[in-house]
Amino acid sequence: MDEIKKFCVFGLPVSHSLSPLIHKEFAKQQGINIQYKMIEPDTEEHFETHAQSFFSKKGYGANVTIPFKEKAFEFASSHDSSAMECESANTLFLINSEIKAFNTDGLGFMNDLKNKNISISGKNILILGAGGSARSIINSLVKENTTKISIFTRTISKAEVLIGKYQNSCDISYFKDGIKYDLIINTTPVSLNKTEINFP
């Protein structure tokens, strides 16, 4: 019998994640024997402890969701180009005894827009949130012909970091009243706790 490959998803909360279902179905189709579980560290500070424990017990790969994507980037010893560019990671793999971080959020989001025939060329875009997912999506958006990117978040300092990082690559700023947005992208966990977004 083939060796069981161990995978997991880290998140807080994590019960909403479809990763176990998706990856188990994919593994079944490909004839791969896997074990996939959910891991919910109780704080961001405890992410590294849980990640070290998982990989020390022959963990093969991990998905990472809110709010651990920046911690996952810091935890890894090497990174792909996308993770390096946005300094966050949604995937960790054990490769040659080394934890490597990848970020597919931006690429996946852009592919989803294209599959739905949604063009962002010349559009004004509002990003809700400034965490790991926002970093990756903005990193992909700046490579496209968007007219303007605005960020709306409770943590102004995080928005300022992103604005400073990309202001020489595109028209990016904090949210302002009076701008008509063509596309609003929610990268916050607000939908997970069934609350509403309060706009100014």
Side-chain angles (χ1 to χ4, degrees):
M1 186 175 181
D2 292 339
E3 178 185 2
I4 297 176
K5 293 184 177 180
K6 297 180 180 180
F7 294 88
C8 75
V9 55
F10 292 102
L12 180 64
V14 74
S15 59
H16 69 283
S17 177
L18 296 177
S19 289
L21 178 65
I22 293 170
H23 287 82
K24 285 178 181 178
E25 181 60 30
F26 177 77
K28 181 180 178 181
Q29 293 176 8
Q30 299 299 314
I32 302 171
N33 193 11
I34 73 167
Q35 177 189 89
Y36 198 108
K37 64 180 181 178
M38 296 179 174
I39 300 177
E40 186 174 283
D42 55 358
T43 66
E44 289 186 54
E45 288 68 30
H46 291 160
F47 170 80
E48 183 174 342
T49 300
H50 285 271
Q52 286 178 338
S53 175
F54 172 74
F55 283 105
S56 70
K57 297 174 182 176
K58 297 185 178 181
Y60 188 76
N63 296 114
V64 184
T65 187
I66 292 173
F68 301 120
K69 294 183 179 183
E70 289 160 271
K71 291 294 183 182
F73 174 84
E74 295 171 2
F75 174 73
S77 50
S78 65
H79 312 79
D80 78 339
S81 58
S82 181
M84 285 295 294
E85 288 172 359
C86 54
E87 298 179 339
S88 72
N90 68 345
T91 305
L92 297 173
F93 261 115
L94 181 63
I95 302 175
N96 297 325
S97 300
E98 180 179 74
I99 306 299
K100 185 169 184 177
F102 300 81
N103 196 313
T104 62
D105 280 333
L107 176 62
F109 179 77
M110 298 305 296
N111 285 340
D112 199 36
L113 289 181
K114 291 175 183 176
N115 289 338
K116 291 178 170 58
N117 295 316
I118 298 174
S119 172
I120 61 171
S121 179
K123 300 293 178 64
N124 288 336
I125 298 175
L126 175 62
I127 305 289
L128 305 181
S133 296
R135 283 171 173 260
S136 183
I137 289 172
I138 291 173
N139 189 63
S140 293
L141 288 174
V142 297
K143 298 174 183 178
E144 304 292 332
N145 187 29
T146 56
T147 297
K148 181 175 180 59
I149 298 173
S150 299
I151 302 172
F152 180 54
T153 180
R154 292 178 300 179
T155 311
I156 306 299
S157 59
K158 285 190 173 184
E160 290 174 342
V161 169
L162 289 173
I163 292 168
K165 182 179 179 67
Y166 293 108
Q167 62 185 353
N168 293 327
S169 302
C170 69
D171 184 359
I172 183 170
S173 63
Y174 194 71
F175 170 85
K176 295 178 182 178
D177 282 328
I179 296 177
K180 180 181 178 181
Y181 294 103
D182 302 297
L183 180 65
I184 299 176
I185 303 169
N186 177 32
T187 70
T188 74
V190 68
S191 61
L192 303 182
N193 51 26
K194 299 181 180 180
T195 57
E196 296 181 350
I197 298 174
N198 294 316
F199 286 97

